[in-house]
Amino acid sequence: MDAFVIYGGRRLNGRVRINGSKNASLPLLAASLLTDEPVILRDVPDLADIRNMIRLLRSLGCEINRDETAPGKPLTIQVTDTSNSFAHYDIVRTMRASICVLGPLLGQRGFGEVSMPGGCAIGDRPVDLHLRGFEALSAGIHLESGNIIAKAPAPGRLIGGSMFLGGPFGSTVLGTANVLCAAVRAKGTTVIESAACEPEIVDLANMLTKMGAKIVGAGSPRLVIEGVDRLGGVDHTVMADRIEAGTYILASAITNGNIVLENCPMDSLAAPLFRLAQIGVDVESVGCNGNDHPLDDATIRLSTDNGNPRLNKSNGNGNGSGNLIDPMRQTVRVTSNRRLDPIQMVTQPYPGFPTDLQAQLMALLCLADGNSVVTEKIFPDRFMHVPELLRMGAKLYRNGASVLISGVRELIGAPVMASDLRASAGLILAALAARGMTTVHRIYHLDRGYERMELTLRQLGADIERVDEEELNKRSISVPGLASAVA
Ligand code: EPU
């Protein structure tokens, strides 16, 4: 098991290119089950979750190869064997997103079996809405030995239907992706009300449309899908990762740094940019498509204007090809005020502030000049970072789904424990700003969603090192008793 050792206090400076989105890639990979032709996916990040999904798809009969030399390191996925449609617990327990193979299996093969995902550090995370959607497409669903078994009605094809996919916390992202993938192959028309509007769903709908699907309304809460008899192959570039981009923007802000992000999906970041502007963090476009364009009259600024992001028009192809300004693939510069203002923020489904940036924002607000309030409306218990930030000298008071953050002058390095992917990112950001040394244990959570974050941060000037826990113990820089807690 690895840990990060971080000496805080260095201002980040330099350039970083944002990777393809993890949360877009997972359903896109699963959607490759919908055709027997090759699916080529570019810019898929090399992460633990992606490797697990590849392992799962191989077990479901896909041949998968990655070309490490071509642009976007394309992954080619081709279904060659349809004899196994069971996603085994061994893989599902490593990654909840395994559930999103069920829709494609059901749509294409008329049958699928997926081990029921359990809870995780951020909450219970039920899948009832996914199942409600499949049932609305006339699938028979039952649970046996901890596995969800789903079957299309005879003769093996789903039937389009209308459904409401809203739950107690709003729409469901993977639920929408799952049901969408089933509906594109159903007979007739499907209407999904309260569909998730996340950009990752739009990316999925774009790819499915290129494969021959008929989808109207992607990005809105009402999706209308006309089922088709077959889908073909596709060559698709995954959207840039808005959460990775937000994390590096916040890393720059918390160190009072000055960094440039390439391939930044500005058009998907309106709520975070609005909040950042209120705090005193400016994110300004300096070009697009990973190329530099000097700021001149021809370059439309994406800078926040009194807290309102001014987003320019694009041709909407999302590929960054040919157009001068593609708001999903911008080059931006991040600068911030020395004095950060406190804010009130509530996480919400898109286009609201994403829950996946809540922990990182909280780390920043620990250093704001005054009291902030963060309320978590998607996963009300997603606060595993709170007790760890307290260990670093933060002043946080949790009341249910809200945390009052009373800004402090400085954070102090300490050994802390990562508990989930985004909590880990929040702790690393706090460590970058803290005085002295922080050891962040259980970094495998972070590796699920960020590609070699320590290399990127080091390239930006951070003093950060990945160390094996055993090596740490040998160096005796772990606190007494921590080694046994980790084991
Ligand atoms: N929910 C239900 N029933 C369901 C499904 C969801 O009640 O059947 C509830 C959840 O418990 C939660 C809310 O609905 O309270 C939203 O959950 P959602 O289904 O949208 O989450 P998800 O699709 O399982 C994706 C991301 C998460 C991200 C959430 C919310 C992927 C692989 N995961 O999860 O990302 O937090 O949407 O935006 O896309 C992460 O990247 O760190 C991460 C956890």
Side-chain angles (χ1 to χ4, degrees):
M1 221 184 286
D2 289 345
F4 278 175
V5 176
I6 301 169
Y7 289 87
R10 292 195 176 193
R11 296 175 73 176
L12 298 188
N13 203 311
R15 301 177 81 92
V16 51
R17 182 183 184 275
I18 299 305
N19 288 300
S21 158
K22 166 185 87 85
N23 286 351
S25 296
L26 291 167
L28 291 174
L29 280 162
S32 63
L33 290 165
L34 285 164
T35 175
D36 52 12
E37 291 182 12
V39 169
I40 299 171
L41 283 174
R42 297 175 194 270
D43 242 0
V44 176
D46 184 16
L47 300 167
D49 274 12
I50 299 294
R51 289 190 286 273
N52 281 326
M53 180 56 89
I54 289 174
R55 197 156 64 94
L56 175 56
L57 290 178
R58 285 194 172 123
S59 78
L60 297 171
C62 297
E63 270 186 18
I64 305 180
N65 297 298
R66 197 194 265 268
D67 180 350
E68 296 287 341
T69 55
K73 298 186 179 171
L75 268 175
T76 304
I77 306 126
Q78 176 144 27
V79 177
T80 52
D81 176 2
T82 55
S83 57
N84 178 44
S85 299
F86 174 36
H88 201 274
Y89 181 63
D90 282 352
I91 300 181
V92 177
R93 72 190 168 88
T94 62
M95 184 188 56
R96 299 190 83 268
S98 306
I99 185 76
C100 64
V101 298
L102 191 52
L105 285 174
L106 200 47
Q108 182 72 358
R109 303 185 190 177
F111 171 81
E113 184 171 350
V114 175
S115 186
M116 177 81 120
C120 74
I122 66 176
D124 291 344
R125 306 189 71 181
V127 292
D128 56 311
L129 299 173
H130 301 233
L131 305 187
R132 188 202 289 174
F134 297 142
E135 277 168 346
L137 300 176
S138 302
I141 308 275
H142 69 279
L143 193 67
E144 206 175 283
S145 310
N147 301 325
I148 303 163
I149 301 175
K151 273 190 195 143
R157 188 159 176 201
L158 295 168
I159 302 166
S162 294
M163 68 192 76
F164 172 70
L165 267 200
F169 302 98
S171 53
T172 162
V173 181
L174 288 182
T176 302
N178 226 346
V179 177
L180 173 60
C181 284
V184 288
R185 287 282 286 105
K187 198 169 166 45
T189 308
T190 296
V191 179
I192 307 178
E193 295 284 6
S194 195
C197 305
E198 269 68 2
E200 291 78 10
I201 297 295
V202 177
D203 206 24
L204 174 64
N206 284 344
M207 183 176 100
L208 292 170
T209 303
K210 285 193 255 172
M211 292 168 77
K214 294 185 178 156
I215 304 164
V216 175
S220 82
R222 181 184 166 94
L223 286 175
V224 182
I225 304 132
E226 197 64 48
V228 295
D229 289 341
R230 68 177 297 278
L231 293 172
V234 67
D235 185 338
H236 183 77
T237 302
V238 179
M239 66 171 278
D241 195 317
R242 64 192 169 104
I243 304 303
E244 188 186 49
T247 302
Y248 286 116
I249 290 171
L250 285 157
S252 179
I254 204 168
T255 62
N256 192 230
N258 183 333
I259 72 169
V260 172
L261 299 183
E262 295 170 2
N263 201 36
C264 178
M266 287 288 272
D267 206 21
S268 65
L269 287 164
L273 293 178
F274 173 72
R275 291 299 174 204
L276 283 163
Q278 287 183 318
I279 296 169
V281 181
D282 192 39
V283 184
E284 183 176 41
S285 172
V286 291
C288 72
N289 304 344
N291 301 317
D292 265 338
H293 293 270
L295 273 179
D296 56 30
D297 289 347
T299 306
I300 302 172
R301 285 172 177 252
L302 291 184
S303 148
T304 47
D305 175 11
N306 291 330
N308 296 309
R310 288 189 287 151
L311 301 177
N312 53 293
K313 292 196 174 72
S314 83
N315 65 10
N317 68 9
N319 283 327
S321 53
N323 53 333
L324 176 65
I325 303 286
D326 179 349
M328 289 297 274
R329 297 194 186 276
Q330 286 281 311
T331 300
V332 301
R333 182 179 293 283
V334 186
T335 51
S336 49
N337 299 341
R338 271 198 177 278
R339 179 185 174 280
L340 301 173
D341 286 321
I343 58 161
Q344 291 197 27
M345 187 283 287
V346 180
T347 64
Q348 288 169 325
Y350 191 83
F353 192 98
T355 170
D356 292 344
L357 284 175
Q358 180 254 109
Q360 302 90 313
L361 181 81
M362 191 180 293
L364 180 70
L365 293 175
C366 287
L367 294 170
D369 192 4
N371 292 336
S372 300
V373 180
V374 164
T375 301
E376 177 54 68
K377 284 271 178 90
I378 309 291
F379 298 111
D381 287 322
R382 195 177 199 178
F383 289 123
M384 303 286 279
H385 42 288
V386 167
E388 304 302 304
L389 288 170
L390 288 174
R391 293 175 53 74
M392 300 179 72
K395 289 199 174 146
L396 307 172
Y397 308 91
R398 181 176 169 193
N399 184 2
S402 293
V403 175
L404 171 73
I405 303 142
S406 184
V408 293
R409 286 180 70 84
E410 65 170 4
L411 293 168
I412 303 155
V416 291
M417 189 78 79
S419 53
D420 82 77
L421 166 56
R422 308 302 173 186
S424 317
L427 294 176
I428 290 162
L429 264 51
L432 292 174
R435 174 162 56 86
M437 186 186 88
T438 299
T439 313
V440 186
H441 295 272
R442 298 198 173 183
I443 278 309
Y444 62 86
H445 290 291
L446 185 89
D447 292 335
R448 293 183 46 209
Y450 296 89
E451 208 176 302
R452 300 296 292 195
M453 186 191 252
E454 76 279 17
L455 298 185
T456 307
L457 289 174
R458 207 174 318 143
Q459 184 189 316
L460 294 172
D463 187 341
I464 178 169
E465 188 188 5
R466 179 184 288 261
V467 188
D468 184 75
E469 296 274 1
E470 277 182 30
E471 167 68 19
L472 254 189
N473 288 338
K474 275 193 217 144
R475 289 192 204 172
S476 306
I477 55 176
S478 187
V479 287
L482 191 60
S484 54
V486 167

